[in-house]
Amino acid sequence: MLVTKHAAELCALLVNDLFGELPSVGSFSTHFGFCGVVLIAGLTFLRFSQQRILVALFTKGRCTLSQLVQHVSLGPRHLRNGLGVLIQQNLLYHYTDPDTGGTSYEANSDACYNVVRSGKILEVINSQYGTAERDLVQTLMQLGYARVADLTHAFTSRAPKTNGHTNGSHESSSGLIESKNHLNSALSRLIQAEILETVRPDSFRNPAEVYREIEADVTKTAPGEKASKNKIEQHMQIVERFKIFRDQSKALKRQLDQTSGPSTKRRRLQNGSSHSDPFDDDVELNCLVELRNQRLADFAADMLGETTGHVYRSLLDLLTAKVSRCRADPLVGEENKGPQPSVTTLQIYENLSDEVKVLGGIGKAPKDKIDFDSAEKIRSGPYSYDSDSDEEDEPEVKAAPVPRGRLARAAAAAAAAAAASAKESEDEGSEDDIDVQGGHTHTNGDRSTKVKFEDGAIAKDSRLDQMRQHLLLLAESKHRFVRHCGTQGRGQWTVDFELLMDRLRESELDAYIEQSFGRHGLRLTRILREKGKLDEKMLPSAALMKKGDVQGKMLAMQMAGLVDVQEVPKDNSRLANRTLFFWFFDGERVQSQLLDDVYKGMLRCLQTLDVERHKERNILTFVERKDVKGKEEEVMTAEHYNKYNRHLEGQQKLLGQVMRLDDMVAVFRDY
């Protein structure tokens, strides 16, 4: 995560808001038996000391304890307590040098920002794994990390008891964890899904720092020794050693994957320790994949319909079942060098819910009007779509006779289907001409519609064929949601995520430009995106706009940082009439700038929310009383109750805007 000024302020404010809502981190420590970190129970200290420490670390970078004392103006005792709370919540990186014994601290920007996604993560866990897993992850989110023995004691203490002893095999009717076996099974599922991982001393080190340390160790040379010229071999050694470091926390996952039986899992879990770091890349990976699947399914539903979105979500769930990250690790690059995963139509059909009505949501055209060769075309690679336009430009040649075999059978089947469809349409037309009373119906015109959404012929088709029509629609979309890549199992399908996410980012960027600069600004930026650098004199004719309007719009977008101009003088005089002005659109720079603007918008929303809470602090304090909760309308006067409701409505709008902005951050940065 690129930490800008607004991003740093946002992260500090999110952490401050989190500790402001928690009653006391010390109470959690007492309940679960933690004694390794001394925590301050005072709410005022929790609200401000952590924020001051994070602001200092974001501003100054990595610091030692003595440096932090100077930057935050806190005593060593208070500073250690604040650092302990942040480390407990996995919001800091820290490392103790074995030679000097000094400890350095560094802010974990990704973990601090991902505090805002805690609700989304819990929702994904609840929908994909169940209530027990959501309860466990929520508890570990509040604690940061915990020993399995402490978790067992905490969860079993709330279970109903018989004759003074806990019933170990008891399963709660509400789905919450109330037994040791239930806890172990939930831990096993989440560890195997890479939602949880085990704690080790290196878990709190910055991965980039570890990579630099490995790189320095591999490339170092002895005195008088020449540096190795085999850079590729050195890079491979660095990558392999870093993978070993990164996969240390997944040793328990590999054991659970290889072994079977509850006894082995329980014995291993009791001897280890587990932690949930939903605010860290190595733990939130599967959650990000699920969030990306939901975002892409919503995108497909907006473009092609709700039913097609459900079919697409089923396909994405199958494709990403074994995918643990949305993007390749920037330190080691792409790891999966094998063939791109794909799923068959039969697998999608088995995974699709029976509640999805695949009959609706798609138009039905006569079969004789469909180009089956184009619709069923197999595309071997993600860039095979570009060859279609080249084939259309080529002159037509005489087609060779169709050989006997699969193509001949397909052509015969298509001809038979077309004949049957024509006969059915004639029968339906003759029946539709007569009404119930025996008279003839009258229509405005005698031309029949080319696309029908409900007809009798479609009802006779199988559910599998109807679902397959949605897949073909996804494949033929301009956004290229899926790619038809094989013929096994009634067709094989895959998703080119990189190209698809590029199109989604372009869609979000176009929406932002259109909202800020209108349709004319969007038209100009699309022309520059397609043509590259373009002469200023060619823009009016290309955009079909007046020269003055083009200059005014381009100047406004240049001031906003969307476009820029390059001056190319024809000679050394550099006169204006002897200079060419080329406008261009830098997509990467615009996306990074837009990302910073989104951070700024989220920061302003949260700051506004803090101001509104401060204005209504008396009412909010009164509502938090135990004798008032749930009885606000009965206890409060009409004036104060209406003011309280208006505050809740405004708070809901601000938080909803923050969530929408977070979706944009995920699209441009994480997915």
Side-chain angles (χ1 to χ4, degrees):
M1 175 180 175
L2 180 62
V3 182
T4 61
K5 174 180 178 293
H6 298 112
E9 293 180 2
L10 175 63
C11 292
L13 187 59
L14 286 171
V15 174
N16 181 38
D17 187 67
L18 171 68
F19 285 105
E21 293 181 359
L22 291 178
S24 172
V25 180
S27 62
F28 292 109
S29 174
T30 304
H31 180 67
F32 284 88
F34 297 136
C35 57
V37 181
V38 180
L39 302 178
I40 298 296
L43 184 60
T44 304
F45 177 77
L46 288 175
R47 283 189 61 88
F48 298 106
S49 63
Q50 282 78 16
Q51 184 179 12
R52 293 166 65 179
I53 294 173
L54 282 176
V55 169
L57 291 176
F58 279 124
T59 305
K60 304 297 182 180
R62 184 185 305 174
C63 298
T64 61
L65 186 63
S66 58
Q67 293 172 339
L68 281 175
V69 170
Q70 300 176 359
H71 297 325
V72 299
S73 301
L74 290 174
R77 176 175 170 271
H78 288 173
L79 183 59
R80 288 192 181 95
N81 291 332
L83 290 173
V85 174
L86 293 174
I87 292 173
Q88 177 73 26
Q89 297 296 324
N90 304 306
L91 300 176
L92 292 184
Y93 293 124
H94 66 92
Y95 175 65
T96 302
D97 192 347
D99 298 331
T100 62
T103 303
S104 58
Y105 303 92
E106 185 178 359
N108 187 353
S109 57
D110 291 330
C112 295
Y113 174 81
N114 287 334
V115 170
V116 76
R117 294 180 182 167
S118 56
K120 294 181 181 179
I121 294 173
L122 291 176
E123 184 179 355
V124 168
I125 297 296
N126 188 33
S127 61
Q128 297 295 326
Y129 299 96
T131 306
E133 285 75 8
R134 179 194 58 80
D135 186 27
L136 176 59
V137 172
Q138 183 177 6
T139 302
L140 291 174
M141 278 184 176
Q142 296 173 345
L143 299 174
Y145 61 92
R147 294 188 304 165
V148 175
D150 296 328
L151 290 174
T152 303
H153 174 73
F155 283 115
T156 55
S157 62
R158 67 184 183 185
K161 298 182 179 180
T162 304
N163 297 329
H165 298 283
T166 304
N167 186 1
S169 61
H170 174 74
E171 295 290 343
S172 173
S173 59
S174 62
L176 300 178
I177 299 175
E178 293 182 355
S179 66
K180 184 177 180 181
N181 294 339
H182 198 186
L183 173 63
N184 288 338
S185 62
L187 281 172
S188 300
R189 285 193 295 270
L190 293 175
I191 290 174
Q192 288 179 296
E194 299 186 26
I195 304 298
L196 305 184
E197 66 177 8
T198 54
V199 175
R200 64 190 194 283
D202 290 336
S203 299
F204 304 100
R205 293 193 62 186
N206 191 345
E209 179 186 359
V210 176
Y211 184 86
R212 290 192 296 267
E213 182 179 320
I214 295 174
E215 184 179 18
D217 183 61
V218 172
T219 57
K220 71 178 181 180
T221 58
E225 183 181 358
K226 293 183 179 180
S228 176
K229 296 183 179 180
N230 195 347
K231 302 296 183 182
I232 298 178
E233 183 179 353
Q234 287 185 348
H235 178 71
M236 294 300 296
Q237 293 179 6
I238 295 171
V239 170
E240 290 299 327
R241 289 181 57 178
F242 182 76
K243 287 181 180 179
I244 294 174
F245 160 79
R246 191 187 59 185
D247 295 339
Q248 287 178 1
S249 60
K250 297 180 176 59
L252 180 57
K253 174 190 179 303
R254 291 191 292 269
Q255 292 183 11
L256 292 176
D257 291 338
Q258 295 174 359
T259 58
S260 59
S263 59
T264 305
K265 294 180 181 179
R266 285 198 299 268
R267 182 172 61 253
R268 180 63 184 88
L269 289 172
Q270 291 170 3
N271 295 333
S273 62
S274 171
H275 86 117
S276 170
D277 186 4
F279 316 119
D280 183 74
D281 289 342
D282 291 336
V283 177
E284 196 200 355
L285 297 177
N286 260 1
C287 296
L288 274 181
V289 172
E290 294 294 340
L291 292 175
R292 183 184 66 176
N293 290 349
Q294 184 61 41
R295 181 66 181 88
L296 291 177
D298 294 340
F299 184 40
D302 293 339
M303 295 293 106
L304 302 174
E306 184 179 357
T307 306
T308 309
H310 288 305
V311 175
Y312 191 47
R313 179 58 193 268
S314 179
L315 182 147
L316 290 174
D317 290 340
L318 291 174
L319 276 178
T320 59
K322 297 182 179 180
V323 177
S324 60
R325 60 175 67 243
C326 293
R327 292 189 175 187
D329 193 335
L331 297 176
V332 299
E334 187 65 34
E335 300 179 26
N336 298 326
K337 300 297 183 180
Q340 189 171 0
S342 62
V343 294
T344 63
T345 305
L346 297 178
Q347 292 174 340
I348 301 172
Y349 178 74
E350 294 174 357
N351 190 52
L352 185 65
S353 174
D354 296 336
E355 299 178 357
V356 179
K357 298 180 180 179
V358 295
L359 178 61
I362 187 171
K364 312 301 187 299
K367 294 184 178 180
D368 57 341
K369 302 295 184 181
I370 300 176
D371 186 358
F372 289 95
D373 294 336
S374 176
E376 300 287 348
K377 185 175 181 180
I378 305 299
R379 306 183 188 277
S380 58
Y383 299 100
S384 58
Y385 291 95
D386 300 336
S387 61
D388 294 347
S389 58
D390 299 337
E391 293 177 359
E392 293 176 359
D393 296 338
E394 294 179 358
E396 295 184 0
V397 295
K398 186 176 180 180
V402 180
R404 295 181 180 179
R406 185 168 59 88
L407 293 178
R409 289 194 298 271
S421 176
K423 183 178 180 181
E424 290 174 359
S425 61
E426 292 177 0
D427 296 340
E428 291 175 0
S430 61
E431 293 176 359
D432 293 340
D433 289 340
I434 302 175
D435 59 8
V436 179
Q437 297 178 357
H440 292 277
T441 59
H442 300 279
T443 59
N444 186 11
D446 56 354
R447 187 177 64 179
S448 60
T449 58
K450 294 183 179 180
V451 179
K452 300 179 181 180
F453 288 88
E454 296 292 342
D455 55 5
I458 297 302
K460 300 177 182 179
D461 295 339
S462 65
R463 175 180 169 85
L464 179 62
D465 293 333
Q466 296 165 7
M467 184 203 70
R468 199 169 183 276
Q469 298 302 316
H470 291 276
L471 295 175
L472 292 174
L473 185 62
L474 288 166
E476 291 298 324
S477 172
K478 65 177 182 179
H479 297 288
R480 309 303 182 196
F481 289 105
V482 300
R483 176 164 54 86
H484 195 190
C485 61
T487 58
Q488 298 179 0
R490 297 293 301 274
Q492 292 174 280
W493 313 87
T494 187
V495 177
D496 303 314
F497 285 104
E498 293 184 3
L499 297 180
L500 178 58
M501 291 310 305
D502 288 341
R503 293 179 181 270
L504 179 57
R505 295 185 191 100
E506 288 182 2
S507 177
E508 292 284 350
L509 190 59
D510 289 346
Y512 165 74
I513 295 174
E514 184 177 7
Q515 185 178 6
S516 302
F517 300 96
R519 298 181 62 184
H520 290 168
L522 177 60
R523 184 191 307 173
L524 291 170
T525 54
R526 281 182 172 177
I527 292 173
L528 293 178
R529 190 187 307 167
E530 180 182 357
K531 302 295 185 181
K533 294 184 179 180
L534 200 61
D535 189 3
E536 184 181 26
K537 298 178 181 179
M538 299 178 62
L539 269 178
S541 59
L544 301 179
M545 295 171 58
K546 296 181 180 179
K547 182 178 180 181
D549 297 340
V550 171
Q551 290 178 346
K553 187 65 68 174
M554 295 300 292
L555 181 60
M557 290 193 293
Q558 184 185 19
M559 296 296 293
L562 290 179
V563 297
D564 207 345
V565 64
Q566 180 182 3
E567 301 179 4
V568 181
K570 295 181 180 180
D571 50 29
N572 294 332
S573 62
R574 303 186 69 87
L575 298 176
N577 57 356
R578 299 290 300 170
T579 302
L580 298 177
F581 297 93
F582 292 96
W583 289 97
F584 64 93
F585 178 84
D586 190 350
E588 294 183 0
R589 187 184 68 178
V590 171
Q591 288 185 13
S592 61
Q593 181 178 346
L594 175 59
L595 198 59
D596 186 56
D597 292 340
V598 172
Y599 290 146
K600 182 179 179 180
M602 296 176 67
L603 177 63
R604 296 294 180 262
C605 289
L606 293 177
Q607 289 175 342
T608 303
L609 182 59
D610 283 347
V611 172
E612 294 298 327
R613 286 174 177 173
H614 182 73
K615 289 181 180 179
E616 307 296 339
R617 59 187 181 277
N618 295 330
I619 296 178
L620 296 178
T621 304
F622 178 76
V623 171
E624 290 297 325
R625 289 171 45 179
K626 294 182 179 180
D627 58 338
V628 178
K629 282 186 177 181
K631 305 177 183 178
E632 292 85 355
E633 188 175 3
E634 301 175 2
V635 177
M636 301 173 66
T637 61
E639 179 183 359
H640 291 86
Y641 183 71
N642 293 334
K643 187 181 294 186
Y644 175 64
N645 284 334
R646 287 194 297 269
H647 171 75
L648 292 181
E649 292 177 1
Q651 175 178 281
Q652 186 177 5
K653 292 179 181 179
L654 289 172
L655 294 179
Q657 182 65 18
V658 170
M659 292 298 101
R660 285 192 290 269
L661 293 175
D662 175 62
D663 290 338
M664 293 185 63
V665 172
V667 169
F668 285 106
R669 191 193 71 180
D670 299 327
Y671 297 162

